[in-house]
Amino acid sequence: MSPPCESFLAADELNRMEPFYPLHLEVCDRCFLVQLQSYIDRNEIFREYAYFSSYSDSWVAHARAYVDAMVERLGLGPDSLVVELASNDGYLLQHVVERGVPALGVEPALNVAQAAIDRGVPTVTEFFGVELARRLAAEHGHADLIAGNNVLAQVPDLHDFVGGIAVLLADDGVLTLEFPHLQRLLEGRQFDTIYHEHFSYFSFLTVTEILAGHGLAVFDVEELPTHGGSLRVFARKAGPRAAPTAAASELWERERLLGYRTLEPYAAFGAAVEETKRDLLSYLIEARRAGRVVAGYGAPGKGNTLLNYCGIRTDLLSFTVDRNPYKHGRFTPGTHIPIFPVERIAEEKPDDILILPWNLRDEIVAQLDYVRAWGGRCVVPIPTVEVVLR
């Protein structure tokens, strides 16, 4: 049972009842899509959103590199149209605009979309699906490139969303989707990437099948280090130009050999996660008994899954910090750990800093190099506790 992972609390809300919902992954024994049941209406999650992509420098750099590569690969120019689905605060499309390529964002979170508009990125504040796709195609034309970074998992109706992509995409257009790779999630015990706004979790085999059901053929794939191991799949409308590359064929065969069309890889996940929980709690309890103060870095959605599943509160984690001003002065859902600006680390000088967005460990360790001055350490919790700066 866990609260919605982005429902940060103000001080005057701490004594109110919080909703908790089951957080239990299920796998289909026919198509092998891994999903949560839908407990929360998408309007509750996404109309006002606490996550702003631009607060991660490495993620903005990742987006810039992607735009540069796609402009060159597809020959995008002033007569093209690039659409990003779940465009957040314009972290990616700002680079498209800078290149003089027409861009359009689709972002239902009103507060986040306004940040993109302020950056000069045209943004539609609606949920994407077939109906909106038809309207956008009529008003703006069909898209030469549609990008969806870490959005497919957050879609409650996959068929409406993917069907909309098929409507909006130009006949010779390209779709790219980035999402955490289910193989990496299972092998790396990345249970904290499971939360209520992530409805689905994808293997390459399954996402290929989903897209094919709407006339879209996956023809290439890249394996990325982002978010603990992600895939970037390339698709276009089915036809002779959509023949798979060697990379796509090799990954398809690898997942098949690893058994991702059987139930075995999924069945072993629960016991592995329980061991990760015991490992983290042992470290925190031993640190506290030794008189060490442990603080957190970051207040991401994944961190709230981890804190609630492990039952970690201020008796084990004194406070956490975050670069996002939206979260300052608030408390983590369920566990009520206070969130401060990053400067709090230098003020309090904790002995250990537990990096909750461990997928950004290199970026954060570089930011926290100054903690060496008082003997501070940086620690990551996944897949097992590891000291990454001492």
Side-chain angles (χ1 to χ4, degrees):
M1 300 294 293
S2 193
C5 69
E6 297 286 350
S7 56
F8 297 94
L9 305 174
D12 60 359
E13 296 174 315
L14 291 176
N15 290 332
R16 298 181 188 176
M17 183 181 71
E18 288 180 78
F20 277 60
Y21 302 94
L23 197 57
H24 181 66
L25 275 186
E26 299 176 342
V27 58
C28 174
D29 61 3
R30 289 177 295 171
C31 74
F32 297 94
L33 176 64
V34 175
Q35 277 191 318
L36 293 174
Q37 291 188 44
S38 178
Y39 292 99
I40 311 171
D41 184 86
R42 63 184 184 177
N43 286 289
E44 292 183 43
I45 300 174
F46 296 117
R47 277 306 189 185
E48 181 173 354
Y49 201 42
Y51 179 72
F52 288 71
S53 296
S54 293
Y55 284 112
S56 169
D57 297 336
S58 62
W59 187 242
V60 173
H62 173 78
R64 179 185 289 277
Y66 163 83
V67 169
D68 291 344
M70 295 308 292
V71 167
E72 181 176 349
R73 179 170 179 170
L74 302 181
L76 301 174
D79 296 326
S80 307
L81 175 62
V82 176
V83 176
E84 185 185 11
L85 309 178
S87 50
N88 202 263
D89 59 5
Y91 74 102
L92 184 149
L93 288 181
Q94 63 181 338
H95 306 307
V96 177
V97 172
E98 288 172 3
R99 299 290 294 262
V101 178
L104 179 66
V106 179
E107 174 52 62
L110 302 177
N111 61 321
V112 179
Q114 188 57 53
I117 293 168
D118 292 343
R119 280 193 169 93
V121 176
T123 305
V124 176
T125 53
E126 297 183 46
F127 288 103
F128 184 77
V130 171
E131 182 180 347
L132 178 58
R134 289 175 179 152
R135 187 157 22 106
L136 294 179
E139 294 175 0
H140 301 275
H142 291 87
D144 300 284
L145 172 63
I146 296 178
N149 287 349
N150 300 306
V151 59
L152 196 62
Q154 298 175 316
V155 174
D157 187 340
L158 283 171
H159 289 300
D160 184 50
F161 186 83
V162 177
I165 292 172
V167 168
L168 184 57
L169 191 66
D171 288 342
D172 58 351
V174 170
L175 163 71
T176 68
L177 294 170
E178 291 186 29
F179 50 87
H181 189 189
L182 182 63
Q183 179 190 341
R184 302 304 176 196
L185 186 154
L186 296 180
E187 292 177 352
R189 304 183 186 180
Q190 298 169 3
F191 71 90
D192 55 342
T193 60
I194 300 165
Y195 37 90
H196 296 106
E197 67 185 56
H198 283 178
F199 299 103
S200 305
Y201 303 79
F202 302 99
S203 65
F204 183 65
L205 293 168
T206 298
V207 83
T208 299
E209 185 173 334
I210 291 167
L211 293 172
H214 293 272
L216 298 169
V218 172
F219 65 89
D220 200 5
V221 64
E222 296 176 6
E223 297 185 68
L224 307 171
T226 52
H227 296 286
S230 295
L231 297 181
R232 177 188 288 154
V233 300
F234 296 76
R236 54 170 35 118
K237 292 186 176 180
R241 298 183 63 197
T245 63
S249 298
E250 288 167 7
L251 181 55
W252 196 96
E253 182 64 11
R254 183 213 303 167
E255 287 194 347
R256 188 189 69 79
L257 292 174
L258 288 171
Y260 282 89
R261 301 295 278 180
T262 72
L263 293 176
E264 290 181 21
Y266 311 97
F269 185 59
V273 168
E274 290 172 2
E275 182 57 32
T276 293
K277 173 180 178 176
R278 288 188 286 267
D279 183 57
L280 177 58
L281 287 174
S282 294
Y283 150 70
L284 289 170
I285 291 168
E286 290 170 9
R288 184 63 89 186
R289 284 177 172 163
R292 299 181 68 83
V293 174
V294 183
Y297 187 103
K302 64 170 42 145
N304 290 324
T305 292
L306 182 140
L307 296 173
N308 279 283
Y309 175 65
C310 295
I312 297 167
R313 294 176 173 78
T314 52
D315 58 329
L316 295 176
L317 194 70
S318 300
F319 63 89
T320 192
V321 302
D322 200 278
R323 294 180 68 185
N324 186 349
Y326 178 90
K327 300 177 184 180
H328 296 165
R330 295 177 182 260
F331 296 79
T332 57
T335 54
H336 298 185
I337 294 170
I339 306 167
F340 297 105
V342 173
E343 291 75 19
R344 188 81 171 199
I345 295 287
E347 295 168 5
E348 297 290 335
K349 296 182 173 57
D351 299 291
D352 289 3
I353 298 98
L354 182 66
I355 298 175
L356 296 173
W358 48 262
N359 54 299
L360 302 175
R361 57 188 276 176
D362 293 342
E363 175 183 341
I364 293 169
V365 165
Q367 294 172 11
L368 292 176
D369 188 67
Y370 62 87
V371 307
R372 296 176 189 269
W374 63 82
R377 306 188 305 177
C378 291
V379 180
V380 294
I382 301 290
T384 58
V385 173
E386 178 186 358
V387 177
V388 292
L389 174 69
R390 65 173 78 231

